[in-house]
Amino acid sequence: KQEVTQIPAALSVPEGENLVLNCSFTDSAIYNLQWFRQDPGKGLTSLLLIQSSQREQTSGRLNASLDKSSGRSTLYIAASQPGDSATYLCALTQGGSEKLVFGKGMKLTVNP
Amino acid sequence: DTGVSQDPRHKITKRGQNVTFRCDPISEHNRLYWYRQTLGQGPEFLTYFQNEAQLEKSRLLSDRFSAERPKGSFSTLEIQRTEQGDSAMYLCASSSTSGGVTEAFFGQGTRLTVV
């Protein structure tokens, strides 16, 4: 059974720091991996999607990488801002199923 | 608006009552998903439709839960005889496949509180 882990569960940093958020998974036979952002009481906003054949994707200050052999993905946030404060979730799909399997998320607080 | 829309945003109900939630996907998306999220957890998959066909169901979807997508457009999720353990955020997502890539887009969710 696929398990997705995000450690730490929470992180508090001062504004301007470059951040690395970690996501690990137990079964490397994945199809896509997606990073989401969730603000309190709201739905999920898709940030980046990496296909299994890709190594990384970039959007603005965000860069996501994927290493299937080690069962890891990282989300890099450059020059963090207070507006980046949210919970970040990673999720993946596997062949034969359309469902996303989520980690529990990491709550990020960026202090001004 | 071209996003996924869910209604209502909040629902408070008494234990034992039935509730129904609606999801309107992005118009060109043929796939629709329901997830449930409890506090401090990631969303858990409930069920998935491709057009009007329900193709996958989680064991979490007990016989008190039923989902429909009658015309392959909007979907409803009904919970019968609600229990306090049903209190959660119910999230709907939709997707289509383009260039071999399937990316899911989520709505704002329906927060259910069973008292």
Side-chain angles (χ1 to χ4, degrees):
Chain A
K1 178 187 171 186
Q2 177 73 268
E3 292 186 1
V4 180
T5 303
Q6 294 183 250
I7 296 174
L11 184 65
S12 181
V13 299
E15 182 176 7
E17 282 204 1
N18 298 324
L19 306 173
V20 176
L21 282 59
N22 295 305
C23 172
S24 61
F25 45 92
T26 54
D27 186 345
S28 62
I30 69 170
Y31 193 63
N32 288 333
L33 188 142
Q34 213 167 337
W35 282 93
F36 294 90
R37 168 188 173 135
Q38 186 173 32
D39 293 293
K42 302 294 177 98
L44 280 64
T45 300
S46 179
L47 298 174
L48 288 165
L49 180 147
I50 309 177
Q51 299 175 65
S52 61
S53 59
Q54 297 175 324
R55 297 283 297 189
E56 65 179 325
Q57 284 286 340
T58 297
S59 176
R61 294 184 294 110
L62 305 179
N63 175 278
S65 66
L66 175 63
D67 184 345
K68 289 197 302 178
S69 62
S70 65
R72 292 187 62 187
S73 176
T74 59
L75 179 67
Y76 176 82
I77 303 176
S80 58
Q81 304 170 357
D84 294 329
S85 298
T87 295
Y88 291 81
L89 298 119
C90 70
L92 53 84
T93 56
Q94 295 186 271
S97 176
E98 289 288 328
K99 70 179 181 183
L100 283 162
V101 179
F102 282 85
K104 292 184 178 182
M106 194 213 76
K107 183 177 181 181
L108 174 66
T109 303
V110 181
N111 300 300
Chain B
D1 177 50
T2 57
V4 178
S5 177
Q6 292 189 245
D7 183 71
R9 293 291 310 279
H10 304 275
K11 178 71 176 179
I12 300 175
T13 191
K14 292 183 178 180
R15 189 173 52 188
Q17 297 294 304
N18 299 342
V19 294
T20 300
F21 311 140
R22 176 179 170 125
C23 172
D24 287 89
I26 295 171
S27 58
E28 63 268 26
H29 286 183
N30 62 348
R31 294 174 174 150
L32 187 147
Y33 315 79
W34 286 98
Y35 290 82
R36 180 172 70 185
Q37 185 179 27
T38 54
L39 200 61
Q41 302 295 314
E44 295 175 294
F45 171 79
L46 292 177
T47 191
Y48 149 65
F49 292 85
Q50 181 161 312
N51 300 314
E52 66 276 8
Q54 189 173 19
L55 297 185
E56 193 172 352
K57 290 171 62 173
S58 165
R59 283 172 290 181
L60 292 175
L61 211 66
S62 76
D63 56 6
R64 295 186 299 107
F65 288 69
S66 63
E68 294 182 343
R69 195 183 183 198
K71 296 182 180 179
S73 56
F74 74 91
S75 175
T76 58
L77 177 68
E78 181 183 16
I79 308 174
Q80 296 181 328
R81 304 181 303 280
T82 52
E83 303 172 354
Q84 287 189 320
D86 297 331
S87 295
M89 174 79 88
Y90 290 83
L91 294 161
C92 177
S94 70
S95 72
S96 64
T97 299
S98 174
V101 179
T102 302
E103 184 173 3
F105 295 89
F106 281 76
Q108 291 297 297
T110 294
R111 168 75 64 187
L112 173 66
T113 302
V114 182
V115 297

